[in-house]
Amino acid sequence: MNETQGYAVFFFPQALEALGEAIRPYLLEGPAGPHVLCKEIDTGGAFTEMTLEGRNADGREMTLELMVPGNMLRMIVSAHGEGSFGFGPRVARAVAKPAGASVPAPAEPVPAQPPAPQTPAPVIATDAKPE
């Protein structure tokens, strides 16, 4: 089972603009955009608290708590596994076909037509009396 490695926190563009240079040292760039990678996160109050682990200028390990208003967050993604975190395009897998099998041409879409109105069955009157 994969253990949680942390969380990727994505901000609204307006939030990044408002936070300006103060948030830049904590941002990582990725295919899905800039995000903060944190070890723990607490979304229980008006401010979202993120715990980041890193090294200071002397190379010593340190823990940092970053708190931002919760309404600045666009999305939080839990990062699992041993590999690096990131996004990539999803590619549809090709279905294996036997050798020599021909691929049918794509069918043209058929416009949807409403069903034809149904006429009620005619009622046949008879002079016969039920017995």
Side-chain angles (χ1 to χ4, degrees), residues 27-85:
L27 289 175
L28 299 173
E29 279 297 325
H35 60 278
V36 172
L37 190 59
C38 58
K39 186 70 175 170
E40 296 176 13
I41 192 162
D42 180 5
T43 59
F47 284 86
T48 299
E49 300 177 25
M50 296 172 272
T51 303
L52 288 76
E53 294 180 348
R55 297 190 182 273
N56 64 10
D58 299 334
R60 287 184 280 166
E61 288 186 11
M62 63 179 284
T63 300
L64 177 77
E65 287 190 10
L66 181 65
M67 294 177 262
V68 297
N71 63 354
M72 290 187 161
L73 303 184
R74 182 172 44 129
M75 178 173 59
I76 300 170
V77 178
S78 176
H80 294 278
E82 297 176 7
S84 62
F85 173 78

Side-chain angles (χ1 to χ4, degrees), residues 95-103:
V95 177
K97 297 205 180 272
S102 63
V103 178

